Every structure is written in C-alpha cells, then in structure tokens.
Amino acid sequence: MTISARRSRACITVPALALVMALTGQSAHAADGVPPPPAPAPNDIAEGSDIVVTGTKANEIAPVTASLRATQPASIVSRSFIEDSLPASADFNDIALISPSVANTGGENGVGLNESKMTIRGFQDGEYNITYDGVPFGDTNGPTHHSNTFFPSNTVETLVVDRGPGNASQLGESTYGGNMNLFSRETRADRSIELKGAYGSFNTYLLRGLLQTGAIDKLNGTEAVISAQYIKTDGRLSLSGYNQKNVFGKVVIPLGNDVHLSLLSTYNKNHFFQPDKNGVTLAQQAIYGKYYNLNNDPTSQSYWDYNKTTKTTDFEIAKLDAEIRPGTTFVNTAYTYYYDNETLSGSSATALPVSAGGPQQTVTLSPGAKAVSGVPGYTKTNKYRVWGDIPKVRFDLGFGALTAGVWIEEANTFRQQTDVDLVTGNFNYVEKVVKGANTPQYVKFNQNSGFSHAEEFVELELRPLQGLTITPGYKHVDFNLKIDAKYNQTTRIPQDISQNYRKDLPFVTVNYAVTPRLSVYGQFAKGMALPILGDLYVNNPNLSSIQPQTSTNYQTGAVYHGERLSLDADLYYIKINNKIQQETVIDDTNTAQTAYFNAGRVLYKGIEGQATYVLAGGFAIFANGSLNYAKEAGTHNPVSNAPKGTAAAGLLYKHGPIRFSLIDKWTGPQYATTEALDPTQTFFVLQRSVRISPYNDTVLSASYQWRNLRFGLNVTDLFDSRKVENLNLSGSGPSGNAAHGVNQTSDQFYYQPGRQISGDITVKF
C-alpha cells in the first residue's frame, strides 16, 4: 500500500496518516535503527489528538500504542487490530475496550448486537466527547452516544482514546472526562474490492463489501471508498432479534496541488426487539434465566411484538483542506447529522406476566373511566437534525505556530412519549391531571427543543528549544439551550424556556523529546460539561441557578518507542466542581418546586500504563493496566459504575499469512450506588451501594491468508464467563426475601453474554 504525502492532506488528517504509515511499516528508519524525531507536517492543524507514531517493530504489531508527541495520555488503536483481533460486528466501544482505564457494559445481547456504554477512568457516557473526523456528535438532549447507530466498525480506520480534555482545539460539549476520536475509512491509490461473509453464535451473520476506486486519472486523481454492511442475529437475549444496515461513502477530490475537498456520507438503519429500559430482575431470572428479555405472551408487557425500535441515522461531512501559502493552512469542516428513534415499549420491563404470578394488567381507555384489562405501554420519538461548521487556520511562525478557529453548531429536536394500550393501540389515560393545564392524560411529553452553540479557540505552539513544545491555549464557550414544548417533560405543561451558558477555559500542554525514542509530557487544563435539557424540566426555571460542571486536570507521563519495546505510562489528578444536583424548594406561593443547583465535588486520580514487546519469529506480548480512584470529595462515596482498575494482556503473532492473538481484558470491582442530599443540602448521603465483582473477557482470534482468500476465526469470552457487568438500582432497597442487597423485583442485572464464536471468509480482488 502506498500513501503519498500530497493526497494525505485531502483524505485524512496528518495524525491518521502517520499512524497508518507507522503500523504498516512504511515510516523510514534511520541507518542505526533509531527512528528520527517527528517533524510537524505542513498542514498539521491540531485535532485534539496529534498522532505521530514511529514505525518500529513494536508499533507495527502493538494492538494499542501512544504518540511521542502526546500532550495527554492516549491510546491509539489501528485498523489492523480491528481486522485481526475483533469480530466484524464490533462497535466503537468494543474497539476502545483494549485501552487502559476503559470499561464496557451493555453487550449482553452479543458483541455489537445491542447498544453498549463505555466508561473512561470512571467518567460515564455524556461526560466525555466522541468525534468522527474531528466532528463532535451526540444526542441533543445531552451529549450521550449510541454505539451501534452511527458508525459500525466498517466505517472506522483508526480510533484514539484521549484520557483527558485535550487542548483548546479539542471540541465537544463535554471536554471534561476525555475524548474518543474516530477517524473514517481511508481512500487508497490502488483499486481493490473486498467482500466478507461471517457467521456465528446466536445465528448471527454479517455481509460486508468494500470498494476502493483507486486514483481516477480522468478526474485529476480523485479517489473514493464505498462500504456496505448488513448484520442480522437472533441475539443472546430471549426473542431479541437485531438487524443493521449501513452504507458508507467517501470521495477525495484534488482541486489543485495544495487544495483538496473530501466528501463523506454514511447512512445507518437498525431494527431490534427490546424493552425501552431493559434488564433482568432476580425474580425474572429465577423463572426464565439470566438472559431473559422478551416473551411470547401477548398479555404481558414483555411480549416481543410490543417492544421494538427502529433507529435511522445519517452523517455527512464536507472538508476543504488548503495550503494558502507555505506555512499557512486553512481547513473548513462543514457537517450535518440526523437521528430518528421510533420506539414501542411496554411500560415496565420488570413486570412479571400474569401467568408467572405477576399482577393483572389494566388500562384506562377514556378520561375518568374505570380501568379495564389491557397491556400498558407507550410510543416514543426522539429525532433531531444538527448542522455545524468548523473553520481553522494555522500559521507557522518559525519559532512556533498559531492555530485559531471557531465551532458553530445548531440543533433542532422533536421528542414525544404517549401512553397506549399495546393490545388495541388506543390511548391509555393514566397520567395525573395537571392543575391549571389542559394536558391530555395519555401524554407524558410532547416537546420541541434545540440549541445554538459557538466555541472560539486559539492555541500558540511554542518551540523555544530543540525537542521542546509548549502550547498554551484558550477557548470560549457560548451555549444557548431552548425548549418550546406543547407539554414539557416531567412538568407536562406548555413551556417556552431558554437558558444561556458561557465559560472560558484555559489550557497548557508541554512535550519534550528527551531523545528520538523518549518523550515526556505534562498538561494543565480546565474542562467542562454543559447542562443538559433535563435541567430545564422544572415548573419555574428561575428557581434554578446552574453553571456548567467544571474539571481541573493535571496529568504527566512519558512515551518510549524502542525498536522492540513500546512503552508509556502516566499519572493523573482531576478535580470536578459545580456538580449539578436536584433539590426541592418552596416558592413564593408556598408550593414545593423542583430546582437544580451546583453542589458537590468529585475527585479522580490514578496511574495508567501500556507496553508491547516484540519477541523473535513474529511473536509479541503486550500488557496495559490502570489503578483508578473515583470518589465524592468529603464523603468519599464511590462514583457509581467506576471500576477501581483495569488490566489487559495478550500474546500476538503476525508472520507471513498467519495472524493470531489471545487477549484478556479484566475489569476491576465497582459499585452501583444511589445518593441523596442530606436535609441541610450540603453533602451527599449514600442510600444504596452494591458491589459488582471483577470480571474477565478473553478473546481468541486467528486468520490465514491463502492467495486472495482470508479465513478467520474469532472467539470472544473464551472461558464462557457469565458474570454481572452492570446493575441498575431502582432507588428502593431490598424487599421480600432480600438477596445480594438488591430489590428482587425492580433492580435490573446485565450479564456477560458468554462465549461467542464466529467464522469469516474474506476475498479481495
């Protein structure tokens, strides 16, 4: 494979290009075997993760590595690891799991076969950013993410987990707990066609095609890549079928020697059967087993045909990359994305059917009428369109470089939830009457919302000494959140609300190349997480007085790239302030009202490291791990679902036509907790705390290349572990015959899916 520096400016960021070249052995080596220090590329506009990886033997085989130019702890995962060591159905959280301090939950239906959630150092989804080719994305009612909805693994070339807020040019609504940066599939100079078919456990099959057009001479060297993927499965959970369709396309158009236009689009549609708030209780488990989800009883809220969701998304990016003059570059990234979730669900996923001893199901089919036999449920819609533009300019000043830019974004959202009788489809009038409002009793909410968002940023990269880079930066955030609701969520009254939030964030990063093989770095940064739409679900917004949650980050580390040894380690200390909490206040009319305020502090600290060592004959061993502390300051209550540590280790083999890996990921103990403010509303009282024991997931992968055919085998959870990986506490304590300190009829468990085997055949022309 050949990638020219000229076209790299058009189709990928320089960081991604450097990584691809390094991990495919294309980077040049000095005569003595010591890689030369990396030099800034002419269009090296910061994207928050400035990836430069030297082409050593260790980095060519390492499943995860770091950059010598790192300014914060990071883990770089290559396309070769995605292809060689993961099932084709994997989502981006499955890819990121190899990194230290990363834990995953939600894969109980099988790898990539239902939505998963990731934590970084104990920070939950919504407390870190995810970007695609530098574009942040997430839900508009709060920046959470859907792991299998936008970008399945066939759309990802490289993934970088940044364990920190990044620098000033790292964009997102939660520059707070870290960033996961995805980079799209790359175009290639040579034409090729690749077809893949896979089949495995749970009657899962996958079909995938990939076309590289190569450089089209008649179109001035234009290149394109097109990929399509289809997945269908019965799923590990009972009656939980899932199918996914994805189409991805990207074209890179040279408009001149120094100007390139990249156009990208991806479309995804998922259809699956699952309750809106799934999870198995101990009472359900005693009758149906660990992997109960839906049933065949049409009198039950968990009947499979009453619980189905269709999600449709698209994502488009137009990127213009131009070198205006030597040392001055301009990049403009315009984008839009769309999400539509249409759900039908039973009202409760924890209710037992009448045939299993559950209560009789009833509905109310007109206002004030007597309840009659039926099955309560609801319809749900959440759809939004987001538009944005990110222009950046970079000036090389000789002694350093200045980068400045702005991020402008607009979003419009419609959300509704309506109570229905699942048997007849008629409205179910079960909501409370709202005093002073004419709200139908079948409406939970019907709401339009949106936001306008602008971030201006600047950073000055200073190079006072050979090998030393100091980069101060500044970012200003202006975020306007608005609701125009016919019936607002929670309050169920008509409301027109708007709130504006502003924040100034300073950054300083340092990187020093001690030798061409060794660099050290440090970071001080202020991060933030913006208030979410739910903070405006109050009767009187004037009673709330909240600001963005903020973080103060201190990190230091070192990266070493020897010819056979790749090593990096770091220490971090993060203080969280202004944690947004809910309270009840008495207004001027002596009425109790819900309000939000900033209170509480959280402390995160720890140590992390990762290493790969190359043995003789194509073998290598690797290991990484972390010790993580995440607790409320003062009370020392543990942060819920924050593992105390992670570890991964494995054996790798790459030689000739054979690829082999055996990798184990260990997730340490954690706690599911619920908290409440004390009567004085000055500190938090731990209401419930249930320990989740450590668990392992061992993955075995092997493949053999014969001519233009590749035969692969993947076994996840090799030792068939079926431990609890997550627990959703209902808020109420144990009742009846208490077991494990949980409520048997309402607390929901999520288990590892057990061993999953898949085989695949790939043919390339």
Side-chain angles (χ1 to χ4, degrees):
M1 180 180 67
T2 301
I3 304 178
S4 69
R6 176 185 64 82
R7 71 174 203 73
S8 73
R9 292 200 296 268
C11 63
I12 55 177
T13 63
V14 167
L17 171 66
L19 176 68
V20 171
M21 294 183 69
L23 297 183
T24 54
Q26 297 183 63
S27 295
H29 293 242
D32 60 359
V34 178
N43 69 329
D44 194 8
I45 291 181
E47 294 286 358
S49 295
D50 195 11
I51 309 166
V52 175
V53 181
T54 55
T56 64
K57 291 181 179 179
N59 284 330
E60 289 168 15
I61 196 171
V64 60
T65 187
S67 168
L68 282 169
R69 292 173 62 182
T71 56
Q72 64 179 2
S75 295
I76 305 165
V77 186
S78 69
R79 183 67 203 176
S80 62
F81 172 76
I82 299 171
E83 292 281 1
D84 295 341
S85 299
L86 293 174
S89 61
D91 62 31
F92 54 67
N93 286 339
D94 297 315
I95 299 170
L97 184 60
I98 190 67
S99 308
S101 290
V102 171
N104 233 352
T105 62
E108 63 274 2
N109 202 39
V111 176
L113 305 181
N114 66 324
E115 186 173 313
S116 65
K117 292 293 183 182
M118 182 182 77
T119 63
I120 305 175
R121 295 174 168 176
F123 289 101
Q124 311 297 308
D125 185 31
E127 296 178 326
Y128 53 80
N129 295 314
I130 301 182
T131 69
Y132 190 71
D133 281 356
V135 174
F137 69 95
D139 274 353
T140 53
N141 58 323
T144 55
H145 307 90
H146 306 282
S147 62
N148 57 358
T149 301
F150 279 103
F151 305 114
S153 64
N154 65 301
T155 69
V156 178
E157 186 82 23
T158 307
L159 182 148
V160 182
V161 178
D162 281 325
R163 299 186 298 276
N167 47 27
S169 60
Q170 175 70 58
L171 302 175
E173 291 182 34
S174 289
T175 52
Y176 185 72
N179 303 281
M180 178 159 59
N181 299 307
L182 312 176
F183 295 92
S184 64
R185 293 300 297 268
E186 292 309 327
T187 63
R188 301 286 184 254
D190 299 324
R191 183 179 181 181
S192 65
I193 298 175
E194 184 177 293
L195 303 174
K196 180 188 286 288
Y199 181 80
S201 301
F202 322 135
N203 194 30
T204 302
Y205 63 86
L206 174 147
L207 300 173
R208 177 188 295 172
L210 180 76
L211 167 66
Q212 293 279 1
T213 67
I216 304 172
D217 293 336
K218 292 182 179 180
L219 297 176
N220 197 29
T222 294
E223 298 173 5
V225 56
I226 300 171
S227 177
Q229 178 172 285
Y230 177 69
I231 299 175
K232 184 175 175 61
T233 183
D234 293 339
R236 180 66 177 91
L237 302 175
S238 63
L239 299 174
S240 297
Y242 166 86
N243 70 72
Q244 177 194 74
K245 306 176 186 72
N246 176 266
V247 179
F248 166 87
K250 180 177 178 180
V251 59
V252 179
I253 308 168
L255 302 179
N257 289 334
D258 299 309
V259 182
H260 296 79
L261 176 65
S262 175
L263 303 174
L264 178 153
S265 179
T266 184
Y267 170 86
N268 201 83
K269 188 167 187 175
N270 294 350
H271 183 73
F272 54 92
F273 295 89
Q274 177 181 291
D276 193 29
K277 299 175 182 178
N278 70 312
V280 62
T281 68
L282 290 181
Q284 291 171 328
Q285 180 180 321
I287 301 172
Y288 304 110
K290 288 182 177 180
Y291 301 106
Y292 172 73
N293 194 38
L294 298 173
N295 61 43
N296 267 318
D297 183 354
T299 67
S300 165
Q301 293 185 55
S302 295
Y303 179 53
W304 66 272
D305 201 34
Y306 297 156
N307 295 270
K308 49 193 174 184
T309 297
T310 299
K311 292 186 179 182
T312 306
T313 67
D314 65 69
F315 207 109
E316 288 75 38
I317 300 175
K319 182 177 181 180
L320 180 69
D321 189 331
E323 186 174 14
I324 301 171
R325 60 183 178 82
T328 301
T329 53
F330 173 75
V331 176
N332 190 85
T333 305
Y335 65 91
T336 182
Y337 61 92
Y338 173 77
Y339 173 88
D340 184 5
N341 175 352
E342 303 292 341
T343 292
L344 177 69
S345 177
S347 293
S348 172
T350 62
L352 285 172
V354 175
S355 59
Q360 181 66 42
Q361 304 295 296
T362 61
V363 294
T364 303
L365 300 179
S366 60
K370 183 179 179 181
V372 297
S373 179
V375 180
Y378 57 84
T379 67
K380 184 179 81 171
T381 298
N382 179 16
K383 58 183 177 181
Y384 52 79
R385 171 66 71 179
V386 178
W387 299 266
D389 190 48
I390 308 170
K392 295 182 183 181
V393 63
R394 185 180 191 272
F395 305 94
D396 194 312
L397 307 174
F399 61 87
L402 178 69
T403 300
V406 62
W407 174 30
I408 302 170
E409 190 174 61
E410 189 86 17
N412 288 323
T413 304
F414 172 71
R415 302 173 67 247
Q416 69 83 25
Q417 194 164 314
T418 302
D419 295 305
V420 296
D421 172 20
L422 293 169
V423 177
T424 64
N426 295 328
F427 293 139
N428 182 16
Y429 294 76
V430 292
E431 302 295 331
K432 293 180 179 179
V433 173
V434 179
K435 185 178 179 181
N438 190 28
T439 306
Q441 288 180 259
Y442 58 81
V443 173
K444 286 182 178 289
F445 57 87
N446 188 295
Q447 171 201 91
N448 289 292
S449 64
F451 60 74
S452 299
H453 183 193
E455 296 189 10
E456 302 86 23
F457 57 88
V458 62
E459 52 192 39
L460 179 62
E461 178 187 295
L462 301 171
R463 300 188 286 267
L465 300 172
Q466 179 68 29
L468 176 63
T469 302
I470 303 172
T471 309
Y474 164 82
K475 176 159 53 185
H476 174 73
V477 181
D478 197 323
F479 188 80
N480 180 262
L481 191 60
K482 55 188 177 183
I483 291 177
D484 181 11
K486 190 174 182 179
Y487 309 108
N488 200 11
Q489 188 166 343
T490 305
T491 66
R492 297 182 56 242
I493 59 175
Q495 288 186 285
D496 188 354
I497 306 170
S498 179
Q499 291 286 347
N500 199 69
Y501 307 99
R502 294 183 176 89
K503 199 68 184 175
D504 295 306
L505 301 173
F507 302 80
V508 177
T509 63
V510 179
N511 179 283
Y512 179 59
V514 181
T515 72
R517 294 178 182 266
L518 173 67
S519 68
V520 295
Y521 62 86
Q523 178 188 53
F524 162 80
K526 290 283 190 178
M528 63 157 197
L530 287 165
I532 63 174
L533 201 65
D535 297 331
L536 302 184
Y537 298 161
V538 293
N539 289 76
N540 187 351
N542 294 326
L543 296 176
S544 297
S545 178
I546 56 176
Q547 293 297 320
Q549 297 179 161
T550 59
S551 65
T552 304
N553 299 258
Y554 304 91
Q555 305 191 89
T556 185
V559 179
Y560 174 78
H561 286 173
E563 183 62 21
R564 292 187 175 274
L565 175 65
S566 173
L567 176 68
D568 65 272
D570 68 89
L571 298 166
Y572 68 91
Y573 183 89
I574 305 171
K575 296 188 296 183
I576 306 299
N577 295 306
N578 291 342
K579 187 176 180 181
I580 296 174
Q581 298 295 331
Q582 178 179 307
E583 65 177 335
T584 300
V585 299
I586 305 300
D587 65 14
D588 294 339
T589 64
N590 203 34
T591 302
Q593 301 275 14
T594 297
Y596 291 89
F597 67 107
N598 295 107
R601 296 176 294 115
V602 187
L603 179 62
Y604 295 80
K605 57 184 177 179
I607 182 171
E608 303 160 321
Q610 54 193 18
T612 298
Y613 184 75
V614 177
L615 305 170
F619 285 96
I621 55 175
F622 93 96
N624 66 46
S626 65
L627 294 174
N628 307 102
Y629 176 100
K631 293 186 178 182
E632 302 275 359
T635 64
H636 305 294
N637 296 336
V639 171
S640 190
N641 301 115
K644 292 185 176 182
T646 68
L651 174 68
L652 308 165
Y653 178 79
K654 290 185 179 183
H655 186 70
I658 299 175
R659 300 287 186 270
F660 172 85
S661 64
L662 180 64
I663 298 171
D664 183 78
K665 178 64 185 263
W666 176 83
T667 301
Q670 56 189 296
Y671 289 86
T673 67
T674 60
E675 292 182 326
L677 282 169
D678 81 307
T680 65
Q681 296 188 343
T682 56
F683 61 89
F684 296 96
V685 177
L686 190 64
Q687 293 180 312
R688 303 180 62 198
S689 178
V690 180
R691 185 177 186 268
I692 300 175
S693 298
Y695 58 89
N696 289 68
D697 186 5
T698 303
V699 181
L700 170 68
S701 297
S703 66
Y704 181 79
Q705 184 82 33
W706 181 70
R707 296 182 180 178
N708 67 333
L709 294 174
R710 171 171 156 154
F711 303 90
L713 174 70
N714 183 278
V715 185
T716 59
D717 199 355
L718 178 64
F719 300 108
D720 202 26
S721 175
R722 303 188 182 192
K723 293 184 178 180
V724 176
E725 63 175 16
N726 195 16
L727 174 59
N728 178 30
L729 300 181
S730 66
S732 58
S735 63
N737 181 20
H740 309 293
V742 299
N743 188 312
Q744 291 195 89
T745 60
S746 60
D747 292 337
Q748 294 173 291
F749 287 77
Y750 306 84
Y751 294 92
Q752 294 175 272
R755 186 182 298 115
Q756 185 176 341
I757 303 172
S758 63
D760 62 78
I761 300 175
T762 304
V763 57
K764 188 171 183 178
F765 305 97

